[in-house]
Amino acid sequence: MYALVDCNSFYANCEKLFRPDLRGKAVVVLSNNDGCVVARSPEAKQLGIKMGVPYFQVKEFCEKNDVTVFSSNYTLYADMSHRVMSTLEKLCPTVEVYSIDEAFLYLADYPTAMTDLNAYGTKLKAIVEQYTGIPVCVGMGSTKTMAKLANYAAKKHPATKGVCVLDNLRWIRRIMQITDVGEVWGVGRRYKVRLNQMGIHTVYQLAICEPAKIRQHFGVVLERTCLELNGQSCLGIEAVEAKKQIISSRSFSTRISCPDELSQAVCSHAAKAASKLRKQDSVCHYLSVFAKNSSFSQTESYTSISGQCQFITPTADTRVMVAAARQILTQIFKKDVRYAKAGVMLFDICQHHEVQPDLFADDSSDNQTNQQSTSKSAEVIAVMDQLNKRYGQNSNQQSAVFIASEGIKDKQSWQMSRDMLSPCYTTNINQLPKVD
DNA sequence: TCTGGGGTCCTAGGACCC
DNA sequence: TCTGGGGTCCTAGGACCC
């Protein structure tokens, strides 16, 4: 038996938590750069504001209807997420944190939960809400896909009071019959269209399909979904593993054509990617740089540039990676393009201790010197990481110690806009909420 | 004027191996 | 004229997730 605990309108509720004056009012949270709506309180959904809609299209509507709008404050959301997850870990021995706002719990080995699933679900919900202030819904089923479905039902149908246990066949069938096939975990927009064309509209219709037929038309992934809907578990609890690919990228608030400005942006992304890499104790073999103009423009043709390089000795050294990124950019740069976004990707990532030294590396200087310089470089980076950990970032997201070619962020007019950013209530001593 | 930023897995086809 | 059988690795593209 699996449970899925999913926070309700997570970002919106993180914001509301510290703003009691917004209780009962419509709140939306925007994506980076204040681009799109990515979270809505129930009141905002009620008003008909759609998920993912570009903010400029609803800005006026929000002003007229007293909707409070926030820029994304990931520092706040990450901290609140951590509180929710650690609460769950106290309540169940096996927890898989699936995303910033949801987690799977594996209940089969946990007799306390199994004796009365409904009571356990209700308890989970109440305790998370009491400890963190974040409302959640709980869904339970014999497989992960069923737990997802149950969670959807718990959110959708008020009669469940936020807890839905799919443990008897009549109830399972009923929920499946009234739920659109597009709500199934693993059925996206494209598959929904194709399933509809085959006459499959409800979850129930998918569940009673011949799995082999589904495999033939859609592949093994959807076949598993189909099996999972029949109670045959194909997906288990997964351990957190190191990323196989790391990306750092961002849209600019204004367009950039100047090579120096673009270079600063790319260098910052290289530094950030390198830092992510080190956090998981990895090194990478390949680094690629990309930049592009807006794909929405009517007047400019879509232009994207990219290039990559290989590190003979895989690395996670910020200085090496920033230098490489700069070098690549000078080779691929095209002028007269109004760049809207740039970034850096890292591939072929392996653990630090798995590295194979290069047989043909230049070791004309004696080996010992070489090893010393390698460990020196590791020391420099370690000191940099320690300083940055201790002193954090300033309000412009600039680290305490950084590579000069990243530029000074205060002076970069293209940095992302976050015009409606809330304070970091829980992570910055100067921004704690005040009670008058 | 203004449209996010991450990730994963699977498949088919081609190149190549013995 | 006839042209095996079994396998790996890589890449691009397509789908999905939050």
Side-chain angles (χ1 to χ4, degrees):
Chain A
M1 207 67 183
Y2 291 89
L4 177 68
V5 181
D6 191 320
C7 302
N8 304 345
S9 313
F10 182 57
Y11 295 171
N13 275 320
C14 286
E15 298 292 352
K16 276 195 171 186
L17 197 52
F18 298 93
R19 288 284 303 273
D21 58 304
L22 297 178
R23 222 166 274 169
K25 294 194 174 169
V27 166
V28 302
V29 179
L30 305 179
S31 63
N32 278 324
N33 238 337
D34 296 341
C36 301
V37 171
V38 292
R40 305 156 296 158
S41 72
E43 300 82 6
K45 289 177 192 168
Q46 195 83 51
L47 284 170
I49 300 171
K50 297 271 180 262
M51 180 71 176
V53 69
Y55 177 51
F56 73 90
Q57 287 175 9
V58 293
K59 188 173 177 188
E60 211 167 300
F61 179 87
C62 288
E63 282 160 9
K64 274 188 189 147
N65 289 276
D66 191 28
V67 179
T68 308
V69 181
F70 290 96
S71 302
S72 284
N73 183 345
Y74 283 104
T75 311
L76 174 64
Y77 312 150
D79 185 63
M80 291 310 303
S81 171
H82 183 248
R83 293 178 186 206
V84 170
M85 300 309 169
S86 50
T87 304
L88 291 176
E89 279 158 6
K90 284 179 198 137
L91 298 168
C92 179
T94 316
V95 177
E96 175 190 339
V97 177
Y98 178 67
S99 76
I100 194 162
D101 74 338
E102 59 189 299
F104 285 104
L105 279 52
Y106 184 60
L107 307 179
D109 318 328
Y110 191 42
T112 322
M114 295 300 288
T115 49
D116 185 343
L117 292 170
N118 225 306
Y120 179 66
T122 307
K123 181 180 151 189
L124 280 177
K125 179 172 162 63
I127 292 188
V128 172
E129 292 179 11
Q130 185 195 337
Y131 285 15
T132 67
I134 299 289
V136 299
C137 283
V138 181
M140 294 186 194
S142 54
T143 63
K144 280 182 159 183
T145 306
M146 295 282 266
K148 272 272 192 185
L149 178 65
N151 194 285
Y152 174 79
K155 281 221 165 83
K156 175 106 178 176
H157 306 294
T160 61
K161 294 185 180 155
V163 178
C164 173
V165 180
L166 290 180
D167 61 350
N168 86 67
L169 285 176
R170 273 187 58 204
W171 181 226
I172 292 174
R173 179 181 237 197
R174 173 104 186 89
I175 292 289
M176 286 184 168
Q177 281 170 338
I178 59 170
T179 307
D180 189 284
V181 71
E183 302 299 339
V184 172
W185 191 38
V187 177
R189 245 199 327 251
R190 317 271 167 137
Y191 283 1
K192 177 180 151 73
V193 171
R194 280 169 57 195
L195 285 164
N196 287 167
Q197 284 166 353
M198 293 165 69
I200 298 167
H201 299 275
T202 67
V203 182
Y204 183 69
Q205 288 174 307
L206 177 62
I208 57 170
C209 274
E210 190 60 47
K213 185 180 147 196
I214 294 296
R215 180 180 195 141
Q216 199 188 328
H217 283 86
F218 298 91
V220 68
V221 180
L222 201 64
E223 183 192 28
R224 281 182 200 142
T225 299
C226 194
L227 291 167
E228 284 239 323
L229 287 174
N230 285 284
Q232 185 176 328
S233 187
C234 305
L235 309 164
I237 292 287
E238 286 177 25
V240 181
E241 281 180 24
K243 303 277 183 234
K244 297 168 183 172
Q245 154 183 349
I246 288 173
I247 303 175
S248 172
S249 76
R250 206 56 101 220
S251 303
F252 306 127
S253 60
T254 55
R255 303 294 183 243
I256 289 183
S257 297
C258 164
D260 290 339
E261 286 182 328
L262 193 59
S263 176
Q264 288 182 12
V266 164
C267 289
S268 302
H269 289 304
K272 190 157 184 192
S275 162
K276 286 189 193 177
L277 195 58
R278 290 195 296 276
K279 276 199 184 124
Q280 60 168 41
D281 263 336
S282 300
V283 289
C284 76
H285 288 85
Y286 292 94
L287 178 150
S288 108
V289 172
F290 68 91
K292 53 193 181 184
N293 65 2
S294 170
S295 49
F296 298 97
S297 172
Q298 306 285 330
T299 49
E300 299 160 56
S301 60
Y302 178 64
T303 308
S304 105
I305 57 173
S306 71
Q308 66 165 355
C309 74
Q310 180 179 12
F311 300 113
I312 302 295
T313 308
T315 183
D317 187 318
T318 301
R319 297 166 306 166
V320 174
M321 295 173 67
V322 167
R326 276 186 76 180
Q327 173 68 28
I328 294 168
L329 185 67
T330 57
Q331 288 162 7
I332 60 174
F333 183 78
K334 282 187 194 161
K335 54 180 187 169
D336 301 330
V337 176
R338 295 170 66 240
Y339 293 98
K341 181 176 181 175
V344 165
M345 299 194 220
L346 310 180
F347 307 97
D348 205 345
I349 290 173
C350 66
Q351 287 302 101
H352 181 245
H353 59 264
E354 295 167 354
V355 171
Q356 271 206 13
D358 177 22
L359 185 60
F360 303 105
D362 175 22
D363 55 354
S364 47
S365 53
D366 66 308
N367 222 347
Q368 208 176 359
T369 325
N370 221 352
Q371 269 176 12
Q372 273 174 0
S373 87
T374 312
S375 77
K376 267 248 160 59
S377 122
E379 275 175 38
V380 170
I381 295 296
V383 168
M384 194 174 110
D385 283 342
Q386 280 165 23
L387 286 169
N388 284 335
K389 190 172 176 192
R390 181 156 169 191
Y391 295 103
Q393 294 178 330
N394 67 14
S395 54
N396 283 302
Q397 311 264 303
Q398 185 121 49
S399 307
V401 182
F402 58 94
I403 305 288
S405 48
E406 293 178 50
I408 311 283
K409 300 205 175 177
D410 293 335
K411 299 183 176 166
Q412 294 166 340
S413 57
W414 43 267
Q415 284 289 348
M416 74 165 160
S417 356
R418 301 161 102 198
D419 293 338
M420 295 148 288
L421 188 62
S422 56
C424 291
Y425 301 103
T426 60
T427 52
N428 185 328
I429 195 78
N430 299 315
Q431 297 180 17
L432 291 181
K434 286 180 190 138
V435 180
D436 293 325

